[in-house]
Amino acid sequence: MAFSFLLAGCSKAPSEKAEIDTNVAFDQYKNAFLESFWQVSPEYALYNGRYEFASHLRINDAAARAADAEFISQHMALLAKFSVDELNGTNKGDWAIIDNELRSWQWRLSTFKDYQWNPSHYNVAGPIGLILNTEYAPIEERLAAINERLIKVPAYYQAAEANIVSPALPQTLLAIDQNRGAIGLLEGGLQEAIESAAISEKTKQDLVMHTQQAVAAIEHYVEFLEQMVPALEAGGAKDFRIGEALYEQKFSFDIVSEFSAKQVYEMALAEKAKIHVEMATLAEQLWPRYFPEQPMPEDSLILIGRVIEQVSLEHAKPSEFVAAVQTQIPALDAFVVEHDLMDTDRNKPLVVRETPAYQRGFSIASIEAPGPYDSAANTYYNVSPVDDLSPEMQESHLREYNSYTMQILNIHEAVPGHYTQLVHANKSPSLIKAIFGNGAMIEGWAVYTERMMLEQGYGEGQPELWLMYYKWNLRTVVNTILDYSIQVLGMDEQAALALLMNEAFQEEAEARGKWRRASLSQVQLTSYFTGYKEIYAFREEQKQRLGEDFNLKAFHNEFLGYGSAPVKVIKDNMRAH
């Protein structure tokens, strides 16, 4: 690379001039790293707002993985040329993030190899849906980009079928469901866009033909997976549990914590016991209100469960679930502004919508935010409707996401949780921190805001809201216990459901959904509790350190100003001044 001579020279002299040169060189390196990274990861570029890559569909074959390995090797060598001690605080953090990203990527290719056993990694719908829904260019240009992608879809799924040699059953079933959703996108929303676009008849015919070929390729992939299912169900599937060694390695790369996975698991067990005490106190307070003529149960877990059952009956109607989410967002935004909790930006649109079919099956609500290169684009708050569930499952879901819990959910997902954090992240001067977001920081921040909002007076101390907050927070804690217990300790579905329903007071539908999620992913469920504990403890540390000079809004703005960096990186920077 053109700047490599500078890297070799600027890491030797310890003078102030050398430090300046090292940071200049590292800034040049970061830009070059990203530009070369987009070449091997065009879908990731697209999700970050680099729409010139919209027509690029990466085919995950052996040649692509060899190119990945070469990219990793080259950049690990380039990164090693820098003396970290000579970098400023921002660049030290960026160096650590790039280093972790490269080592994690290398580990996935050489050790984890989930491209061989996770069929749900292969789905062309996401980028196509993003191109259709993001008005970064006239629809005619966007359809041209989609057309280029469609041409490569058959080769994409041929590579996928060649890669899948030892699939796990839950991931296979998810891939079947989500790729059926992809077919729905191509035959539905894409066809509507083609028919209404001002393009020539020949262009329309080409798009329709390539769409049909893409649909056929997806159908073949679905059939390929469906044919494997009987053998997988009969015992031929790879165990979706990854075991202790791989779990600790993945935790280290994904979470970037000061703790090990086992330590966080043990912290979560202790936290669960503390929350049960808090919930019992609230349940005792609420019992006379809901059961005025009945004696209070002596067993605290039964007491808590009975009160939760009654409070949970206050919920939205099935047909109004998504709309109920939407109506709460302005009130949360107004509370943040009124109490001056952090900077907000009302010019960044948040669109509440039903979760697209090709994204359903993993969680009931999620934020889909634009990348830092297109930070003005819509942020979508995806909420899965409950209309198509059976009446029993509808009621179970609605009790789980009752009128109180829904407020906590909206704080977490929207304001001032994920949506607010990602708006700040896209303004970060460090593209590296914005692009390579750390899951524990992102999820930890959202969990932190739930408690912070109630501490600042949201809900006016309503005991029902605090009880449901603790139930929701208990979900965060139990997520960690559940994930570690399943992936490392071998917990089965029956024991998992007992934990979730009896000790975390979750409805059966939610508990079964969480079992499914824990069988589909690893480590991610620990990110909520790990990040939350580290952020909350750091805030209390800063309060002690700064005394009367501590300002909550200033703390929030500075913390968020470091983008989606690992909490450890943010703490190091904030402690330095």
Side-chain angles (χ1 to χ4, degrees), residues 354-558:
E354 292 189 4
T355 305
Y358 59 85
Q359 292 180 324
R360 294 180 190 176
F362 192 74
S363 62
I364 196 164
S366 64
I367 286 290
E368 187 176 329
Y373 294 106
D374 187 29
S375 58
N378 287 343
T379 296
Y380 292 103
Y381 183 2
N382 296 326
V383 182
S384 295
V386 298
D387 309 59
D388 56 349
L389 301 176
S390 68
E392 296 77 15
M393 292 299 285
Q394 279 184 359
E395 180 62 21
S396 182
H397 269 287
L398 292 169
R399 286 198 303 265
E400 185 68 34
Y401 294 93
N402 56 70
S403 298
Y404 300 102
T405 303
M406 188 180 289
Q407 296 176 67
I408 307 299
L409 170 69
N410 287 333
I411 290 171
H412 180 104
E413 295 291 345
V415 181
H418 287 320
Y419 165 67
T420 301
Q421 186 267 319
L422 291 167
V423 168
H424 277 261
N426 282 339
K427 294 179 179 180
S428 170
S430 167
L431 277 174
I432 295 296
K433 293 182 179 70
I435 289 166
F436 299 106
N438 175 262
M441 183 275 167
I442 294 169
E443 295 296 354
W445 170 262
V447 175
Y448 162 78
T449 62
E450 300 160 14
R451 185 177 187 92
M452 182 274 295
M453 288 282 280
L454 267 63
E455 287 178 339
Q456 296 303 310
Y458 180 81
E460 300 179 339
Q462 193 174 17
E464 287 90 346
L465 185 60
W466 270 101
L467 180 66
M468 287 304 175
Y469 160 75
Y470 277 119
K471 181 191 171 188
W472 183 268
N473 188 243
L474 190 59
R475 171 198 304 238
T476 295
V477 176
V478 172
N479 277 351
T480 295
I481 298 170
L482 180 75
D483 200 58
Y484 191 88
S485 296
I486 290 172
Q487 294 291 334
V488 176
L489 303 179
M491 176 182 275
D492 63 18
E493 183 175 6
Q494 187 137 4
L497 293 178
L499 169 68
L500 293 166
M501 295 172 67
N502 300 334
E503 296 188 57
F505 313 104
Q506 293 181 12
E507 293 289 334
E508 181 179 355
E510 177 68 18
R512 291 193 180 280
K514 189 57 60 69
W515 161 262
R516 183 167 189 253
R517 181 171 172 182
S519 66
L520 290 169
S521 65
Q522 321 81 28
V523 172
Q524 193 272 338
L525 282 171
T526 72
S527 61
Y528 304 83
F529 177 68
T530 310
Y532 159 67
K533 288 292 283 186
E534 292 188 352
I535 294 170
Y536 197 91
F538 180 56
R539 187 194 73 182
E540 296 306 293
E541 172 194 312
Q542 290 292 86
K543 278 185 178 180
Q544 286 288 109
R545 185 170 75 89
L546 298 174
E548 293 182 357
D549 292 333
F550 178 83
N551 178 275
L552 187 61
K553 179 178 182 178
F555 172 81
H556 289 157
N557 285 341
E558 183 177 2

Side-chain angles (χ1 to χ4, degrees), residues 173-440:
L173 297 176
L174 179 66
I176 291 170
D177 288 344
Q178 290 190 334
N179 274 281
R180 284 175 177 155
I183 293 172
L185 172 69
L186 298 189
E187 293 183 335
L190 177 57
Q191 287 305 304
E192 292 172 8
I194 293 171
E195 290 168 6
S196 61
I199 53 179
S200 69
E201 194 60 34
K202 174 66 169 59
T203 302
K204 283 189 179 182
Q205 290 174 357
D206 285 347
L207 272 162
V208 170
M209 178 182 67
H210 294 145
T211 301
Q212 291 171 344
Q213 291 171 349
V215 167
I218 300 172
E219 288 175 339
H220 190 276
Y221 183 59
V222 170
E223 291 171 5
F224 164 78
L225 296 176
E226 287 177 331
Q227 290 170 2
M228 302 176 77
V229 169
L232 300 180
E233 291 178 331
K238 172 184 169 59
D239 190 352
F240 64 84
R241 299 172 176 85
I242 64 174
E244 184 173 8
L246 288 176
Y247 192 93
E248 285 286 1
Q249 292 165 16
K250 194 171 191 293
F251 182 89
S252 174
F253 288 126
D254 291 2
I255 305 299
V256 194
S257 174
E258 297 173 350
F259 304 102
S260 68
K262 185 176 182 181
Q263 287 174 321
V264 171
Y265 165 72
E266 291 169 346
M267 289 163 57
L269 289 174
E271 189 80 1
K272 175 166 68 76
K274 291 179 183 177
I275 292 174
H276 281 164
V277 172
E278 297 289 345
M279 295 179 78
T281 300
L282 287 164
E284 289 173 5
Q285 178 184 345
L286 288 167
W287 181 268
R289 183 181 305 176
Y290 290 93
F291 303 96
E293 305 298 328
Q294 298 183 33
M296 190 181 299
E298 293 183 7
D299 186 310
S300 63
L301 293 183
I302 293 175
L303 166 65
I304 295 165
R306 291 282 305 279
V307 175
I308 285 175
E309 284 177 5
Q310 285 299 116
V311 174
S312 298
L313 294 176
E314 186 176 332
H315 58 67
K317 296 178 181 178
S319 61
E320 298 172 357
F321 181 67
V322 176
V325 170
Q326 191 169 18
T327 58
Q328 284 183 358
I329 306 303
L332 292 172
D333 185 65
F335 184 88
V336 170
V337 172
E338 180 185 348
H339 290 76
D340 205 23
L341 298 179
M342 65 198 70
D343 288 339
T344 59
D345 188 344
R346 296 182 176 181
N347 294 319
K348 306 296 183 185
L350 176 65
V351 179
V352 180
R353 67 175 183 180
E354 292 189 4
T355 305
Y358 59 85
Q359 292 180 324
R360 294 180 190 176
F362 192 74
S363 62
I364 196 164
S366 64
I367 286 290
E368 187 176 329
Y373 294 106
D374 187 29
S375 58
N378 287 343
T379 296
Y380 292 103
Y381 183 2
N382 296 326
V383 182
S384 295
V386 298
D387 309 59
D388 56 349
L389 301 176
S390 68
E392 296 77 15
M393 292 299 285
Q394 279 184 359
E395 180 62 21
S396 182
H397 269 287
L398 292 169
R399 286 198 303 265
E400 185 68 34
Y401 294 93
N402 56 70
S403 298
Y404 300 102
T405 303
M406 188 180 289
Q407 296 176 67
I408 307 299
L409 170 69
N410 287 333
I411 290 171
H412 180 104
E413 295 291 345
V415 181
H418 287 320
Y419 165 67
T420 301
Q421 186 267 319
L422 291 167
V423 168
H424 277 261
N426 282 339
K427 294 179 179 180
S428 170
S430 167
L431 277 174
I432 295 296
K433 293 182 179 70
I435 289 166
F436 299 106
N438 175 262

